[in-house]
Amino acid sequence: MGYYLNPDNKGFWKAVRSKIYVDKTGLIACTNELINTEQQYICVSRPRRFGKSMALKMLAAYYSRGCDSTKLFQGRKIENADTFYEHLNQYDVIFLNMQQFLIEAESEPLTKYLEREVLREFRCEYGACLSEQELGLAAALRRIYVETGRQFILLIDEWDCVMRERQESEAMQKQYLDFLRNLIKDQPYIALAYVTGILPVKKYGEHSALNMFTEYSMTEQDILEEYTGFTEPEVAKMLADAGFAGQLAKVKQWYDGYRFGNVEIYCPWDVLLHIRELGADPE
C-alpha cells in the first residue's frame, strides 16, 4: 500500500460512511468495459463540486492491489455487474493529484518533482526492476511491465491545473503535456487512464499531446451522463431519507439542475448543502 502507488480504500470508505451517500458504483461497470480497448483513455471535464475527485477515490478503492475492497463494495450496484470480481483489486493503481505537485514543486520543474516522489514508492515495491536511479517514470513503468507483465491503471485529478494556473508559461505547458503524452499514449503498461479537470482536452497552442482521450464534458457525457451528478430520482430519495419527502418540487424551483439527453442532473454539492439547510430550518 502506498500514497501514489496502490493507495488504500480510505477515501471511498469515508464516503460510504457519510450520513448522505449516493451509490455511483455503476460507473465502475462502464470503466471495466473500456479496460484494454481503444477507448481506455477517459477525460472527465466538468465544473467543481460535481464529484470528480470522489469518483477517482471510488475507482482507486476498486482497482488497487493495495487493499481488499470486497466488503466495501458488497451491496453496491457494481456487485451485480458480470465484471465485478474480474477486476476487483487486480491492478497496480497510480493516483496523482496534479494540484498537489504544482504547489509542492515550488521553483522545481513540476514533472521532475513528481517523478522523484512517485519513483520513491516504486523502488520500494519494484526495487529489483529499477536499479538505475536516473530512470524516469515512463521508463520505469516499461521496465516493470516487461519483467512482470503487470499493467497499471492511471488516475489523475486536476490534470489541467498547469493550463489554468500557469497560463503565462507556454514552455511549462508544453513540457508538461509532452510528459503526459510520453507517460500515457500507446503505452502497453496502461490498462486504463482516467483523468479529471475543469478544462477540456483540446489543442493548446500548437500542441495536441492528449488527442488519444475521449472527453466526457458537461454537454457530451454519453455513457457517463447518470454519473455526472445526482439524478432526479436520487435527489428525491435523499430528501425522503432525510425526512423531507415530497419536497422535490421545491428543490426544483430553487435549483432546476441540468438536462443531458433524458437525464436531469443536479450538482451534488448544492443538493447536499440544501438538505442540510432544510434540516437546520425545516420551514
Side-chain angles (χ1 to χ4, degrees):
M1 180 187 74
Y3 189 84
Y4 307 114
L5 174 63
N6 290 333
D8 61 22
N9 54 24
K10 287 292 178 64
F12 185 59
W13 174 75
K14 288 181 180 180
V16 300
R17 293 183 70 249
S18 300
K19 187 174 182 179
I20 299 176
Y21 168 71
V22 175
D23 186 349
K24 291 292 186 179
T25 59
L27 171 65
I28 299 170
C30 295
T31 56
N32 282 350
E33 293 298 321
L34 301 180
I35 287 176
N36 282 320
T37 70
E38 294 295 329
Q39 292 74 46
Q40 67 185 35
Y41 309 105
I42 303 166
C43 177
V44 175
S45 59
R46 64 181 73 137
R48 297 190 184 279
R49 306 300 191 184
F50 268 85
K52 301 187 298 293
S53 297
M54 182 55 63
L56 286 173
K57 293 174 183 177
M58 177 182 71
L59 294 174
Y62 175 77
Y63 289 117
S64 175
R65 295 183 191 272
C67 53
D68 181 355
S69 298
T70 306
K71 291 183 179 180
L72 194 57
F73 284 98
Q74 284 178 345
R76 312 291 175 199
K77 292 178 180 179
I78 183 58
E79 190 181 21
N80 297 320
D82 293 338
T83 57
F84 175 59
Y85 288 105
E86 178 183 355
H87 300 287
L88 178 63
N89 300 133
Q90 294 299 307
Y91 294 88
D92 281 336
V93 168
I94 306 170
F95 195 141
L96 308 176
N97 184 323
M98 289 302 181
Q99 186 72 58
Q100 170 203 327
F101 290 115
L102 185 62
I103 293 171
E104 294 181 356
E106 297 180 343
S107 60
E108 183 178 5
L110 166 68
T111 56
K112 182 178 180 181
Y113 175 75
L114 182 156
E115 288 190 302
R116 186 174 70 250
E117 287 292 298
V118 175
L119 283 171
R120 183 178 292 117
E121 290 192 11
F122 271 87
R123 289 194 174 93
C124 290
E125 182 70 20
Y126 290 106
C129 302
L130 308 176
S131 57
E132 301 175 21
Q133 291 296 313
E134 69 276 11
L135 211 60
L137 182 57
L141 296 182
R142 286 194 297 270
R143 183 76 57 81
I144 293 168
Y145 174 72
V146 168
E147 296 195 17
T148 70
R150 285 191 172 185
Q151 286 187 295
F152 297 84
I153 286 184
L154 179 63
L155 307 175
I156 302 180
D157 203 6
E158 304 263 16
W159 84 267
D160 58 343
C161 65
V162 173
M163 324 311 292
R164 290 186 281 107
E165 300 184 23
R166 298 293 187 270
Q167 297 180 36
E168 75 290 347
S169 180
E170 291 186 11
M172 181 179 183
Q173 291 184 16
K174 183 180 185 301
Q175 191 275 334
Y176 172 64
L177 289 172
D178 282 339
F179 168 79
L180 289 180
R181 177 177 58 184
N182 185 53
L183 180 67
I184 302 171
K185 188 173 184 178
D186 297 329
Q187 297 285 14
Y189 55 71
I190 295 290
L192 179 78
Y194 188 109
V195 308
T196 71
I198 298 172
L199 298 178
V201 172
K202 64 179 184 65
K203 188 173 182 178
Y204 288 90
E206 298 180 355
H207 224 55
S208 57
L210 305 182
N211 58 2
M212 65 284 200
F213 278 94
T214 299
E215 184 176 356
Y216 299 89
S217 66
M218 285 296 288
T219 56
E220 299 289 341
Q221 283 295 328
D222 195 33
I223 60 173
L224 303 187
E225 62 181 7
E226 67 179 284
Y227 308 113
T228 302
F230 291 158
T231 64
E232 190 165 293
E234 289 169 343
V235 174
K237 184 178 185 303
M238 291 167 63
L239 288 166
D241 291 345
F244 304 109
Q247 294 210 26
L248 180 62
K250 290 184 178 180
V251 171
K252 293 185 69 171
Q253 184 178 14
W254 161 73
Y255 172 71
D256 60 3
Y258 301 80
R259 175 177 286 275
F260 304 133
N262 295 318
V263 179
E264 292 194 9
I265 293 294
Y266 295 75
C267 173
W269 182 256
D270 289 336
V271 172
L272 290 172
L273 284 181
H274 188 61
I275 290 176
R276 290 170 186 161
E277 290 171 359
L278 287 173
D281 183 12
E283 297 299 325

